[in-house]
Amino acid sequence: MPIFEYETHLPFSREDVFDWYARPGALVRLHPPFAGRVIEEPSNGLQDGSESVLGINMPSFFGTTLSSLADMAGSASSLPVRGYTKWRSRHTNFQPGHGFSDEMISGPAKSWRHDRSFEDDGAGMVLREKVTYELPLVDKLPAAAQKLIAKQFEAELNRIFAFRGRQSSDDLAFHQSHGRLASQLNQDPHHVPEAAPIKVVAVSGATGLIGRQVCALLGGAGIEVRRMVRGSGDSASAKAGDITWDPEAGTLDAESLRDVDAVIHLAGHPLAARFTEEHKKKVLDSRVEGTSLIATTLAHLEESDKRGRVLISSSAIGYYGATPEDRSLRSAILTEDSPAGTDYLAEVCKQWEESTKPAKQAGVRVGIVRTGIVQTPAGGALSQLLPLYTVGAGGPLGDKEWQSWISIDDIASLFVHLALNPHAEGPVNGVGPEPVTAKQYSKTLAAVMRRPSAIPVPAFGPKLVLGEQGAKEIVGADQQVTSVKAQSLGYAFRHHTLQEALEHVLGS
């Protein structure tokens, strides 16, 4: 049987790396967004018998594109449309601190066994991985065809394992910078932190695009995560440790947040749809009602016990308006002190942010992340552009309009960073350090995908999907937003340029 081997050298202790692999969320962080999704995390960590389920895309950009198209079709029709193949595996050979394996139970391969060995290596450690596999029907083909298929398959494995190596290194460095590695937590038992340590975090919108990565990052830091799920206390969707709430009904049991150190609030009705009056009302109400409920609940708790809680709430760069009314500001760099806009999304963001006031007035530390254009093929703007670029029909959505982007890993990390940083308060722009124009974005994406970008997207396209107002405020927005405050709060960006971000999330 063919054997694929890969080595990853990491400048961290073997114990820290293994501990990170064993924590909740590791699989979510390690599985590339271009390769599919995690459907079910390991049922019992790395222990023998623990099972997980992945959704595996077909290889290459075409596989990622097929998954994106299926997601869009499912969203439009409210039907379960799938662009991936299920892969169920079971852990075996668990050796604490040193290694583990997994074997495919069912999936697209004929057979698959993945062995991992964690070994000391001077100043750090080395993860040695060996995959023994068989592909279906390949043994029926001529030898030359078998060799070609194996070469292409292992090229895809190299693409995936390279992503996993970068992700491991970046996540461990992030946790190290926050003193969250086991070796750091144990080295000075007499150290007194400048603020109470964050041990338990509740997350609303935990199953969303950003929420899943936030929960996984928190889990990797050894922090207990409690998902906030909608419904009653006996809701079928709730799992052990979940917090049930109903923003529309105004119900949230304060006691369920009593021992929570921080809340990261991401929930809200999806924005990307035609801007009808009904849709706009749902977008606004979901953000204001949910945020107000969390903020007032935390305020009552804080007033009674002075625990020193934290609320990190989501907002968006739509706060500044799609296009500043004052023409003198159109070329200006937008900071957290820039005035709010006057269009619909700006009004939503203003009311959204104002809804956190009860918590702040009660002594809760409140941070607000004004999120930019998130880059991931798992959803959002990039996933909608991929089909066009994959077939060579991509092009700019505009010309000189500024687009303030941020990678999925940086926006998730920024939320966690602000929760852990006792000095983080007020609005913080969740954008990358180097915004680009619409034309620059198109050229960069085309270069990363090795595709042309000569065909401008016709203006009627976004209008058909979002309506005239939605197209203007989302697609046609012109916002050059700065990340200086995030950096001044000690956040170290993983991806400084758009090219770095796209290469990572697309596995280029």
Side-chain angles (χ1 to χ4, degrees):
M1 287 191 292
I3 294 176
F4 172 82
E5 295 182 293
Y6 199 91
E7 288 188 3
T8 302
H9 293 262
L10 297 169
F12 307 97
S13 74
R14 172 179 53 80
E15 294 85 357
D16 280 333
V17 176
F18 191 90
D19 285 348
W20 180 76
Y21 263 77
R23 286 173 176 162
L27 184 58
V28 171
R29 297 297 299 146
L30 287 168
H31 195 60
F34 59 80
R37 66 204 67 196
V38 177
I39 299 173
E40 295 178 20
E41 291 192 67
S43 54
N44 189 25
L46 303 181
Q47 299 289 330
D48 290 351
S50 181
E51 296 185 5
S52 59
V53 181
L54 300 176
I56 302 295
N57 292 346
M58 291 174 57
S60 79
F61 290 132
F62 287 97
T64 311
T65 296
L66 178 62
S67 183
S68 297
L69 287 170
D71 287 344
M72 285 187 279
S75 297
S77 63
S78 299
L79 295 174
V81 182
R82 240 172 48 189
Y84 57 84
T85 301
K86 281 191 176 182
W87 179 302
R88 180 178 293 275
S89 61
R90 178 182 295 127
H91 286 317
T92 62
N93 195 32
F94 177 61
Q95 303 170 51
H98 295 280
F100 67 98
S101 304
D102 63 70
E103 298 178 1
M104 189 191 74
I105 302 171
S106 62
K110 185 176 180 180
S111 68
W112 174 281
R113 179 184 173 89
H114 184 180
D115 300 306
R116 301 167 184 81
S117 175
F118 296 73
E119 302 173 15
D120 295 313
D121 183 32
M125 62 80 63
V126 58
L127 171 59
R128 302 187 196 279
E129 302 183 76
K130 182 175 75 171
V131 177
T132 306
Y133 67 93
E134 286 184 283
L135 299 178
L137 306 178
V138 172
D139 57 345
K140 309 294 184 183
L141 300 174
Q146 291 185 36
K147 186 175 181 180
L148 177 61
I149 290 173
K151 182 179 180 180
Q152 292 175 333
F153 181 70
E154 294 196 4
E156 184 69 10
L157 290 181
N158 269 303
R159 182 174 170 231
I160 291 171
F161 279 54
F163 172 93
R164 292 163 68 101
R166 291 191 301 270
Q167 200 78 329
S168 301
S169 181
D170 288 348
D171 272 21
L172 285 159
F174 176 82
H175 297 316
Q176 183 181 61
S177 71
H178 293 85
R180 301 299 310 189
L181 298 185
S183 56
Q184 294 172 308
L185 294 171
N186 297 330
Q187 67 185 1
D188 186 1
H190 302 294
H191 172 67
V192 179
E194 57 182 315
I198 301 293
K199 296 180 179 179
V200 182
V201 177
V203 181
S204 75
T207 60
L209 191 68
I210 299 174
R212 291 202 75 194
Q213 300 303 323
V214 165
C215 291
L217 267 169
L218 290 166
I223 293 171
E224 180 184 342
V225 178
R226 298 184 187 172
R227 301 184 313 153
M228 296 180 66
V229 299
R230 293 172 186 258
S232 60
D234 58 353
S235 173
S237 63
K239 299 178 182 178
D242 286 351
I243 296 169
T244 54
W245 71 315
D246 187 341
E248 292 182 8
T251 57
L252 172 58
D253 180 12
E255 290 306 308
S256 67
L257 294 178
R258 174 71 67 181
D259 62 343
V260 166
D261 301 306
V263 175
I264 295 180
H265 175 42
L266 302 164
H269 188 75
L271 177 64
R274 193 169 185 82
F275 271 32
T276 62
E277 291 305 312
E278 180 184 7
H279 173 67
K280 291 194 294 183
K281 185 175 188 304
K282 286 182 178 178
V283 167
L284 175 62
D285 290 350
S286 68
R287 284 155 177 76
V288 172
E289 290 171 354
T291 307
S292 295
L293 180 57
I294 291 173
T296 53
T297 303
L298 290 178
H300 292 320
L301 289 169
E302 196 64 24
E303 288 167 349
S304 69
D305 61 17
K306 307 298 181 185
R307 185 185 178 94
R309 294 175 179 80
V310 180
L311 170 60
I312 306 298
S313 183
S314 185
S315 182
I317 59 173
Y319 176 90
Y320 304 110
T323 304
E325 295 291 328
D326 185 343
R327 288 189 172 273
S328 66
L329 295 175
R330 292 194 177 184
S331 61
I333 295 175
L334 298 169
T335 73
E336 289 80 358
D337 294 326
S338 297
T342 57
D343 56 26
Y344 163 72
L345 287 181
E347 184 60 33
V348 168
C349 291
K350 283 190 291 183
Q351 292 191 41
W352 195 359
E353 295 184 13
E354 287 170 359
S355 299
T356 65
K357 284 185 177 179
K360 181 178 175 60
Q361 291 169 349
V364 174
R365 175 169 67 83
V366 175
I368 296 170
V369 182
R370 292 175 179 164
T371 304
I373 307 170
V374 178
Q375 302 299 301
T376 174
L382 178 57
S383 70
Q384 295 173 2
L385 292 173
L386 283 178
L388 290 173
Y389 280 81
T390 298
V391 299
L397 286 163
D399 184 14
K400 297 180 181 179
E401 295 87 353
W402 284 101
Q403 298 185 341
S404 296
W405 59 273
I406 188 168
S407 74
I408 182 63
D409 295 302
D410 271 321
I411 191 62
S413 299
L414 182 58
F415 271 99
V416 177
H417 175 77
L418 298 183
L420 299 178
N421 185 336
H423 304 293
E425 290 189 82
V428 178
N429 291 329
V431 297
E434 298 184 18
V436 296
T437 64
K439 181 175 286 188
Q440 289 170 336
Y441 182 95
S442 177
K443 287 184 176 180
T444 303
L445 177 57
V448 168
M449 295 184 66
R450 299 176 182 85
R451 299 290 195 276
S453 62
I455 307 173
V457 175
F460 67 80
K463 290 181 182 178
L464 287 175
V465 178
L466 302 171
E468 185 170 352
Q469 183 181 16
K472 178 182 178 182
E473 296 194 28
I474 297 177
V475 178
D478 182 5
Q479 299 157 323
Q480 186 179 9
V481 183
T482 178
S483 64
V484 168
K485 182 174 179 180
Q487 291 170 300
S488 72
L489 288 167
Y491 182 70
F493 279 90
R494 302 173 184 228
H495 306 121
H496 285 257
T497 67
L498 178 64
Q499 181 170 336
E500 290 173 342
L502 293 177
E503 287 177 346
H504 182 64
V505 299
L506 293 175
S508 177

